[in-house]
Amino acid sequence: EIVLTQSPATLSLSPGERATLSCRASQTVSSYLAWYQQKPGQAPRLLIYDASKRATGIPARFSGSGSGTDFTLAISSLEPEDFAVYYCQQRIDWPLTFGPGTSVDL
Amino acid sequence: EVQLVESGGGLVQPGGSLRLSCSASGFTFSGHSMSWVRQAPGKGPEWVAYISSGSTTTFYADSVKGRFTISRDNVKRSLYLHMNSLRSDDSAVYFCARGLTIPTRYLDSWGQGTLVTVSS
């Protein structure tokens, strides 16, 4: 199975700062990678799919880039509601797999 | 508004069985693939099973293959997960999730989850 690793495990930032999160795949996933946001007690929410396409209703401050094995999620200017855990997920092959997550902390 | 509501979770002994249900509303259920995803406390999500919109194709995680069965009833707008031979490491919150129309293997709407605890 394709293993996804995320770095850093924790990112400590303040509102207004830029966040850059990384996801690396154990083998190429082409551009078939998504990013999700999860807040405590809630289900994950799809932010980005196919590496760079924003899902419906996702603000423009969220952007994704990358292809092959290396991907980045950027949040241009953190809002208070953006402090959460972020997961990447690949869809190129079964089983679908998620990364271990990056916690963006205040 | 898209709504997915899971039910059927609870406490079950090791080796036991459970059936989870997910009731869908607010969208054309028969037009979307569906998946079950679970999440153990403090862990990331783990995809469990997938079913295509017309039930013709299913896929399973190796950890549940042969023990879990995903199914759906498009008339009743419901998704199911039949779980047999449950083990302690199956304990988690189980989410049902809708696949994007195209491409299908991203999950764009999720339920609130139902907790499954496997313990004696």
Side-chain angles (χ1 to χ4, degrees), chain A residues 51-69:
Chain A
S52 61
K53 299 174 182 175
R54 273 190 301 276
T56 302
I58 301 304
R61 65 181 181 272
F62 291 93
S63 63
S65 62
S67 66
T69 60

Side-chain angles (χ1 to χ4, degrees), chain B residues 34 36 41 47-49 62 76 78 81-82 85 90 95 103 113 115:
Chain B
M34 299 293 295
W36 287 98
W47 170 80
V48 172
D62 285 346
K76 293 183 177 179
S78 292
L81 186 67
H82 300 255
S85 303
D90 293 318
F95 297 97
L115 178 62

Side-chain angles (χ1 to χ4, degrees), chain A residues 31-34 36 38 42-46 49-51 87 89-100, chain B residues 35 37 39 42-47 50 59-62 95 100 102-112:
Chain A
S31 61
Y32 302 140
L33 189 106
Y36 297 80
Q38 188 176 30
Q42 296 184 16
R45 177 174 71 141
L46 180 66
Y49 67 95
D50 281 353
Y87 297 98
Q89 176 238 323
Q90 63 80 20
R91 75 160 185 97
I92 196 170
D93 199 9
W94 302 100
L96 305 181
T97 51
F98 289 84
Chain B
S35 284
V37 178
Q39 189 169 28
K43 303 290 187 181
E46 177 190 12
W47 170 80
Y50 162 98
F59 290 100
Y60 297 91
D62 285 346
F95 297 97
L100 270 179
I102 295 174
T104 63
R105 303 181 198 176
Y106 298 124
L107 307 172
D108 72 336
S109 292
W110 299 56
Q112 85 290 347

